[in-house]
Amino acid sequence: MKTNAIRIREYGGPDVLEYVEVDLPEPGPGEATLRHTAIGLNFIDTYHRTGLYPMELPTGLGSEAAGVVEAVGAGVDGVAPGDRVVYTGRPADSYSERRNFPAWQLVPIPDDVDDDIAAASLLKGLTAWYLLRRSYPVEAGDAVLLYAAAGGVGSIASQWGKHLGATVIGVVSTDAKAELARAQGCDHIIMADSDDIPGQVRALTDGEGVAAAYDSIGRDTFFTSLDSLRPHGVMVTFGNASGPVDPFAPAELAKRHSLYVTRPVLFDFIDTRERLLNAAEELFGVLSSGAVKVSVNQRYPLADAAQAHRDLEGRKTTGSTVLLP
Ligand SMILES: NC(=O)c1ccc[n+]([C@@H]2O[C@H](COP(=O)([O-])OP(=O)(O)OC[C@H]3O[C@@H](n4cnc5c(N)ncnc54)[C@H](OP(=O)(O)O)[C@@H]3O)[C@@H](O)[C@H]2O)c1
């Protein structure tokens, strides 16, 4: 069978994305063939495109999509043709009309969740889940610092953090994003270009600092985050929007009063079907109760994925973005 998909033959800017026709073989053992209905856009797609996270070239792109199962390979018993499913994972090839994918990683979409919301929620929502429930499990009354609070992960994490009883201090770059982040549960907003984020954090926390900093910005904010933590606070550095964090001396943690640093990756928290489905159940639970609302604020045709990358890297998007095949 033939299908249309994005391919990259070299690392680079958004212009390396090519929309081409490719061959799609029958599903192999343990695989399902999916017809995508909505594809999630994620910042990790830009790391794959630039080679920050190396891939074998040529390659597809994309780590999240919703769709319908069209066929299954030998040994698949968890899903059947006609099922609505959503997934996140590798190999990266979600930017496609159809693909084959390991069936154990397919999550059934609840009846009350639309396909585009599912594609906008799984990778970012499970990330918010492990950040707040595993990397530093938030307790009611904790103050936490969250960057890109109006972005994809940030929009979900701010609502979920609030739902868990935290005081959420969000960092954003524009007034419009500040308004959005406040509406999504951030108690306080600090502007990203502030020259004293730690000072503002301390002013907002009676001089103490935050219990955890959820930092997706990376290189530019690493020490800003450490300086914002309370003694024994937890630095969760989970992204590279400004570039990867430079090497640092452990003594930096000692002199700021026994801090912890973790550098987590979503896929380590959902590495078995049981862990994946349990995490997804928690996510769909907060969506269905209304505690967390996921907004698809940008939609692009799949063939325009390059423009979606430009807008994401240009800090023009808010909430979630989907590509439509
Ligand atoms: N480790 C993991 O398991 C994992 C999983 C998922 C996502 N992530 C990370 O989580 C972050 C958010 O992902 P997302 O897909 O939801 O993206 P996003 O937050 O919707 O977009 C990135 C945001 O980062 C902010 N930003 C700050 N400095 C930037 C810069 N120099 N260039 C571009 N953006 C900058 C911008 O918000 P402002 O304009 O408001 O500053 C921008 O909107 C990414 O860093 C991603 O790598 C990590």
Side-chain angles (χ1 to χ4, degrees):
M1 190 197 293
K2 299 277 186 194
T3 192
N4 291 314
I6 297 286
R7 290 286 178 269
I8 64 167
R9 286 182 284 183
E10 56 181 339
Y11 297 131
D15 291 344
V16 301
L17 271 61
E18 296 176 38
Y19 187 60
V20 294
E21 190 177 69
V22 296
D23 287 320
L24 180 66
E26 296 292 312
E31 286 185 340
T33 301
L34 307 175
R35 176 176 57 79
H36 289 150
T37 50
I39 298 154
L41 178 77
N42 290 285
F43 219 88
I44 191 173
D45 307 343
T46 70
Y47 308 150
H48 288 148
R49 192 202 70 220
T50 60
L52 177 65
Y53 293 176
M55 316 264 278
E56 202 172 307
L57 298 175
T59 180
L61 276 186
S63 298
E64 178 184 44
V68 179
V69 176
E70 287 197 323
V72 295
V76 171
D77 53 15
V79 292
D83 287 358
R84 292 171 65 230
V85 292
V86 60
Y87 67 87
T88 176
R90 297 185 195 110
D93 193 17
S94 310
Y95 289 14
S96 56
E97 289 180 345
R98 287 183 168 78
R99 73 168 301 177
N100 295 327
F101 193 72
W104 75 265
Q105 287 174 274
L106 298 175
V107 176
I109 302 176
D111 289 342
D112 61 345
V113 177
D114 291 338
D115 286 20
D116 60 344
I117 296 294
S121 305
L122 196 73
L123 194 160
K124 298 169 196 71
L126 293 183
T127 299
W129 163 79
Y130 85 68
L131 292 173
L132 297 164
R133 307 275 290 136
R134 294 289 183 277
S135 289
Y136 173 76
V138 161
E139 289 178 23
D142 281 340
V144 297
L145 183 64
L146 175 69
Y147 293 83
V153 173
S155 290
I156 299 175
S158 48
Q159 296 174 71
W160 206 332
K162 192 72 203 155
H163 175 62
L164 293 169
T167 296
V168 181
I169 304 174
V171 181
V172 297
S173 66
T174 67
D175 290 341
K177 288 182 179 184
E179 197 177 320
L180 183 60
R182 272 199 196 91
Q184 290 176 161
C186 285
D187 297 272
H188 307 287
I189 294 294
I190 299 176
M191 299 311 286
D193 62 0
S194 159
D195 54 13
D196 187 15
I197 290 178
Q200 292 194 54
V201 168
R202 286 191 195 282
L204 292 166
T205 55
D206 294 329
E208 192 184 13
V210 287
Y214 299 107
D215 185 334
S216 60
I217 311 304
R219 180 182 289 147
D220 288 356
T221 51
F222 186 76
F223 284 102
T224 303
S225 293
L226 293 191
D227 287 339
S228 300
L229 288 167
R230 73 184 183 192
H232 309 283
V234 180
M235 164 61 161
V236 186
T237 171
F238 71 101
N240 321 282
S242 67
V245 174
D246 293 321
F248 69 95
E252 299 291 344
L253 308 177
K255 75 182 183 207
R256 291 172 178 80
H257 307 292
S258 306
L259 302 181
Y260 296 83
V261 174
T262 179
R263 193 353 180 149
V265 179
L266 168 62
F267 303 106
D268 291 335
F269 297 82
I270 51 171
D271 57 340
T272 67
R273 182 149 185 83
E274 190 183 3
R275 286 194 195 105
L276 170 65
L277 293 182
N278 286 342
E281 193 179 331
E282 268 199 68
L283 170 63
F284 288 131
V286 291
L287 295 189
S288 136
S289 74
V292 173
K293 291 190 177 61
V294 173
S295 304
V296 178
N297 293 347
Q298 298 78 211
R299 290 182 165 82
Y300 303 80
L302 173 57
D304 291 346
Q307 187 57 43
H309 276 221
R310 283 184 204 102
D311 293 346
L312 183 63
E313 290 174 299
R315 304 168 81 156
K316 291 187 179 141
T317 64
T318 57
S320 291
T321 302
V322 296
L323 308 175
L324 297 169

Coordinates of all heavy atoms in Angstrom, one line a residue, residues 197-254:
I197 N 14.1 36.4 38.3 CA 13.1 35.4 38.5 C 13.2 34.8 39.9 O 12.2 34.7 40.7 CB 13.1 34.3 37.4 CG1 12.6 34.9 36.1 CG2 12.2 33.1 37.8 CD1 12.6 33.9 34.9
P198 N 14.4 34.4 40.4 CA 14.5 33.9 41.8 C 14.0 34.9 42.8 O 13.4 34.5 43.8 CB 16.0 33.6 41.9 CG 16.5 33.4 40.5 CD 15.7 34.3 39.7
G199 N 14.3 36.1 42.6 CA 13.9 37.2 43.6 C 12.4 37.2 43.6 O 11.8 37.3 44.7
Q200 N 11.7 37.2 42.5 CA 10.3 37.2 42.4 C 9.7 36.0 43.1 O 8.7 36.0 43.8 CB 9.8 37.4 41.0 CG 10.1 38.7 40.4 CD 9.4 39.0 39.1 OE1 8.1 38.9 39.1 NE2 10.1 39.3 38.0
V201 N 10.3 34.8 42.8 CA 9.8 33.6 43.4 C 9.9 33.7 44.9 O 8.9 33.3 45.6 CB 10.6 32.3 42.9 CG1 10.3 31.1 43.7 CG2 10.4 32.1 41.4
R202 N 11.0 34.2 45.4 CA 11.1 34.3 46.9 C 10.1 35.3 47.5 O 9.5 35.0 48.5 CB 12.5 34.7 47.3 CG 13.4 33.5 47.1 CD 14.8 33.6 47.6 NE 15.5 32.4 47.0 CZ 15.4 31.2 47.3 NH1 14.7 30.8 48.4 NH2 16.0 30.2 46.7
A203 N 9.8 36.3 46.7 CA 8.8 37.3 47.2 C 7.5 36.7 47.3 O 6.6 37.0 48.1 CB 8.8 38.5 46.3
L204 N 7.2 35.7 46.4 CA 5.9 35.1 46.3 C 5.8 33.9 47.3 O 4.7 33.4 47.5 CB 5.6 34.6 44.9 CG 5.4 35.6 43.8 CD1 5.5 35.0 42.4 CD2 4.1 36.4 44.0
T205 N 6.9 33.5 47.9 CA 6.9 32.3 48.8 C 7.4 32.6 50.2 O 8.1 31.8 50.8 CB 7.7 31.1 48.1 OG1 9.0 31.6 47.8 CG2 7.1 30.6 46.9
D206 N 7.2 33.8 50.6 CA 7.6 34.2 52.0 C 9.1 34.0 52.2 O 9.6 33.6 53.2 CB 6.9 33.5 53.1 CG 5.4 33.9 53.1 OD1 5.1 35.0 52.7 OD2 4.6 33.0 53.5
G207 N 9.9 34.2 51.1 CA 11.3 34.1 51.2 C 11.9 32.6 51.1 O 13.1 32.4 51.1
E208 N 11.0 31.6 51.0 CA 11.4 30.3 51.1 C 11.9 29.7 49.8 O 12.9 28.9 49.8 CB 10.2 29.4 51.6 CG 10.7 28.0 52.0 CD 9.5 27.1 52.4 OE1 8.4 27.4 52.2 OE2 9.8 26.0 53.0
G209 N 11.3 29.9 48.7 CA 11.6 29.3 47.5 C 10.6 28.1 47.2 O 9.8 27.8 48.1
V210 N 10.6 27.6 46.0 CA 9.6 26.6 45.6 C 10.1 25.2 45.9 O 11.3 24.9 46.0 CB 9.3 26.7 44.1 CG1 8.4 27.9 43.8 CG2 10.5 26.6 43.2
A211 N 9.1 24.3 46.1 CA 9.5 22.8 46.4 C 10.1 22.2 45.1 O 11.0 21.3 45.2 CB 8.2 22.1 46.8
A212 N 9.6 22.6 44.0 CA 10.1 22.0 42.7 C 10.1 23.0 41.6 O 9.2 23.9 41.6 CB 9.3 20.8 42.3
A213 N 11.1 22.9 40.7 CA 11.0 23.7 39.5 C 10.9 22.7 38.3 O 11.8 21.8 38.2 CB 12.3 24.5 39.4
Y214 N 9.9 22.9 37.5 CA 9.7 22.0 36.3 C 10.2 22.9 35.2 O 9.5 23.8 34.7 CB 8.2 21.7 36.2 CG 7.7 20.9 37.4 CD1 6.8 21.4 38.3 CD2 8.0 19.5 37.5 CE1 6.3 20.7 39.4 CE2 7.6 18.8 38.6 CZ 6.7 19.4 39.5 OH 6.2 18.6 40.6
D215 N 11.4 22.5 34.7 CA 12.1 23.4 33.8 C 12.2 22.8 32.4 O 13.0 21.8 32.2 CB 13.5 23.8 34.4 CG 14.2 24.8 33.5 OD1 14.0 24.9 32.3 OD2 15.1 25.4 34.1
S216 N 11.5 23.3 31.4 CA 11.6 22.7 30.0 C 12.4 23.6 29.2 O 12.6 23.3 28.0 CB 10.2 22.6 29.4 OG 9.6 23.9 29.4
I217 N 13.0 24.7 29.7 CA 13.7 25.6 28.9 C 15.2 25.2 28.7 O 15.8 25.4 27.7 CB 13.6 27.1 29.5 CG1 12.2 27.4 29.8 CG2 14.2 28.1 28.5 CD1 11.2 27.3 28.6
G218 N 15.8 24.6 29.8 CA 17.1 24.0 29.6 C 18.2 25.0 29.9 O 18.3 25.6 31.0
R219 N 19.1 25.2 28.9 CA 20.3 25.9 29.1 C 20.1 27.3 29.7 O 20.8 27.6 30.7 CB 21.0 26.1 27.7 CG 22.3 26.8 27.8 CD 22.9 27.0 26.4 NE 23.4 25.8 25.8 CZ 23.4 25.4 24.5 NH1 22.9 26.3 23.7 NH2 23.9 24.3 24.1
D220 N 19.2 28.1 29.2 CA 19.1 29.5 29.7 C 18.6 29.6 31.1 O 18.8 30.7 31.7 CB 18.1 30.3 28.8 CG 18.7 30.6 27.4 OD1 19.9 30.2 27.2 OD2 18.0 31.1 26.6
T221 N 17.9 28.6 31.7 CA 17.2 28.8 32.9 C 17.7 27.9 34.0 O 17.2 27.9 35.1 CB 15.7 28.6 32.7 OG1 15.5 27.3 32.1 CG2 15.1 29.7 31.9
F222 N 18.7 27.1 33.7 CA 19.1 26.0 34.7 C 19.4 26.6 36.1 O 18.9 26.2 37.1 CB 20.3 25.2 34.2 CG 20.7 24.1 35.1 CD1 19.9 22.9 35.0 CD2 21.8 24.1 35.9 CE1 20.2 21.8 35.9 CE2 22.1 23.1 36.7 CZ 21.3 21.9 36.7
F223 N 20.3 27.7 36.1 CA 20.7 28.2 37.4 C 19.6 29.1 38.0 O 19.4 29.2 39.2 CB 22.0 28.9 37.3 CG 23.2 28.0 37.2 CD1 23.8 27.6 36.0 CD2 23.6 27.3 38.4 CE1 24.8 26.7 36.0 CE2 24.6 26.3 38.3 CZ 25.2 26.0 37.1
T224 N 18.8 29.7 37.1 CA 17.6 30.5 37.6 C 16.7 29.5 38.4 O 16.2 29.9 39.5 CB 16.8 31.0 36.4 OG1 17.7 31.8 35.6 CG2 15.6 31.8 36.8
S225 N 16.5 28.3 37.9 CA 15.7 27.4 38.6 C 16.3 26.9 39.9 O 15.6 26.9 40.9 CB 15.4 26.1 37.7 OG 14.6 26.5 36.6
L226 N 17.6 26.6 39.9 CA 18.3 26.2 41.1 C 18.1 27.3 42.2 O 17.9 27.0 43.3 CB 19.8 25.9 40.9 CG 20.1 24.7 40.0 CD1 21.6 24.4 40.2 CD2 19.4 23.4 40.4
D227 N 18.3 28.6 41.7 CA 18.3 29.7 42.7 C 16.9 29.9 43.2 O 16.7 30.7 44.2 CB 18.8 31.0 42.0 CG 20.3 31.0 41.8 OD1 21.0 30.2 42.5 OD2 20.8 31.7 40.9
S228 N 15.8 29.3 42.6 CA 14.5 29.6 43.0 C 14.0 28.5 44.0 O 12.8 28.6 44.5 CB 13.5 29.5 41.8 OG 13.9 30.6 40.9
L229 N 14.8 27.5 44.2 CA 14.3 26.3 45.0 C 14.5 26.6 46.5 O 15.5 27.2 47.0 CB 15.1 25.1 44.6 CG 14.7 24.5 43.3 CD1 15.7 23.4 42.8 CD2 13.3 23.8 43.3
R230 N 13.6 25.9 47.3 CA 13.8 25.9 48.8 C 14.9 24.9 49.1 O 15.3 24.1 48.3 CB 12.5 25.6 49.4 CG 12.1 24.1 49.3 CD 10.7 23.8 49.9 NE 10.4 22.4 49.8 CZ 9.2 21.9 50.0 NH1 8.2 22.6 50.3 NH2 9.0 20.6 50.0
P231 N 15.4 24.9 50.3 CA 16.4 23.8 50.7 C 15.8 22.5 50.5 O 14.5 22.3 50.7 CB 16.6 24.1 52.2 CG 16.3 25.6 52.4 CD 15.2 25.9 51.4
H232 N 16.6 21.5 50.0 CA 16.1 20.2 49.6 C 15.1 20.2 48.4 O 14.5 19.1 48.2 CB 15.5 19.4 50.8 CG 16.3 19.4 52.0 ND1 17.4 18.6 52.2 CD2 16.2 20.2 53.2 CE1 18.0 18.8 53.4 NE2 17.3 19.8 54.0
G233 N 15.0 21.3 47.7 CA 14.1 21.4 46.6 C 14.5 20.5 45.4 O 15.7 20.1 45.4
V234 N 13.6 20.3 44.5 CA 13.8 19.3 43.4 C 13.8 20.1 42.1 O 12.8 20.7 41.7 CB 12.8 18.2 43.4 CG1 13.1 17.3 42.2 CG2 12.8 17.4 44.7
M235 N 14.9 20.0 41.4 CA 15.0 20.6 40.0 C 14.7 19.5 39.0 O 15.4 18.5 38.9 CB 16.4 21.1 39.8 CG 16.8 21.3 38.4 SD 15.8 22.6 37.7 CE 16.8 23.1 36.3
V236 N 13.6 19.7 38.3 CA 13.2 18.7 37.3 C 13.5 19.3 35.9 O 12.7 20.2 35.5 CB 11.7 18.3 37.4 CG1 11.4 17.2 36.4 CG2 11.3 17.9 38.8
T237 N 14.6 19.0 35.3 CA 15.0 19.6 34.0 C 14.6 18.6 33.0 O 15.1 17.5 32.8 CB 16.5 20.0 34.0 OG1 16.8 20.4 32.7 CG2 17.4 18.9 34.5
F238 N 13.5 19.0 32.2 CA 12.9 18.0 31.3 C 12.8 18.4 29.8 O 12.2 17.7 29.0 CB 11.6 17.5 31.8 CG 10.5 18.6 31.7 CD1 9.5 18.5 30.7 CD2 10.4 19.6 32.6 CE1 8.5 19.4 30.6 CE2 9.4 20.5 32.5 CZ 8.4 20.5 31.5
G239 N 13.5 19.5 29.5 CA 13.4 20.0 28.1 C 14.5 20.9 27.7 O 15.3 21.3 28.6
N240 N 14.6 21.2 26.4 CA 15.8 22.0 25.9 C 15.3 23.1 25.0 O 15.9 23.3 24.0 CB 16.7 21.1 25.0 CG 16.9 19.7 25.6 OD1 17.6 19.5 26.5 ND2 16.2 18.7 25.1
A241 N 14.2 23.8 25.3 CA 13.7 24.8 24.4 C 14.7 25.8 24.0 O 14.8 26.3 22.9 CB 12.4 25.5 24.9
S242 N 15.7 26.1 24.9 CA 16.7 27.1 24.7 C 18.1 26.4 24.4 O 19.1 27.1 24.2 CB 16.9 28.1 25.8 OG 17.4 27.3 27.0
G243 N 18.1 25.1 24.3 CA 19.3 24.3 24.1 C 19.6 23.4 25.3 O 19.0 23.6 26.4
P244 N 20.4 22.4 25.2 CA 20.7 21.5 26.3 C 21.5 22.1 27.4 O 22.3 23.0 27.2 CB 21.5 20.4 25.6 CG 22.0 20.9 24.4 CD 21.2 22.1 24.0
V245 N 21.2 21.6 28.6 CA 21.9 22.2 29.8 C 23.4 21.8 29.7 O 23.8 20.7 29.4 CB 21.3 21.6 31.1 CG1 22.1 22.0 32.3 CG2 19.8 22.0 31.2
D246 N 24.3 22.8 30.1 CA 25.7 22.6 30.1 C 26.1 21.7 31.3 O 25.3 21.7 32.3 CB 26.5 23.9 30.2 CG 26.3 24.7 28.9 OD1 26.3 24.1 27.8 OD2 26.1 25.9 28.9
P247 N 27.2 21.0 31.3 CA 27.7 20.3 32.5 C 27.8 21.3 33.7 O 28.1 22.4 33.5 CB 29.1 19.8 32.1 CG 29.0 19.8 30.6 CD 28.2 20.9 30.2
F248 N 27.5 20.7 34.9 CA 27.6 21.6 36.1 C 28.2 20.8 37.2 O 28.2 19.5 37.2 CB 26.3 22.2 36.5 CG 25.3 21.1 37.0 CD1 25.2 20.9 38.3 CD2 24.6 20.3 36.1 CE1 24.3 19.9 38.8 CE2 23.7 19.4 36.6 CZ 23.6 19.1 37.9
A249 N 28.8 21.5 38.2 CA 29.4 20.8 39.3 C 28.4 20.4 40.4 O 27.6 21.3 40.8 CB 30.5 21.7 39.9
P250 N 28.4 19.2 41.0 CA 27.5 18.9 42.0 C 27.5 19.8 43.2 O 26.5 20.0 43.9 CB 27.9 17.5 42.4 CG 28.6 16.9 41.2 CD 29.2 18.1 40.5
A251 N 28.7 20.5 43.4 CA 28.8 21.5 44.5 C 27.8 22.6 44.4 O 27.4 23.2 45.4 CB 30.2 22.0 44.5
E252 N 27.3 22.8 43.2 CA 26.3 23.9 43.0 C 25.0 23.5 43.8 O 24.2 24.4 44.2 CB 25.9 24.0 41.5 CG 27.1 24.5 40.6 CD 27.5 25.9 40.9 OE1 26.7 26.7 41.6 OE2 28.6 26.3 40.5
L253 N 24.8 22.2 43.9 CA 23.6 21.7 44.7 C 23.8 21.9 46.2 O 22.9 22.2 46.9 CB 23.3 20.3 44.3 CG 23.2 20.0 42.8 CD1 22.9 18.5 42.6 CD2 22.1 20.8 42.2
A254 N 25.1 21.6 46.6 CA 25.4 21.7 48.0 C 25.2 23.2 48.5 O 24.6 23.5 49.5 CB 26.8 21.3 48.3

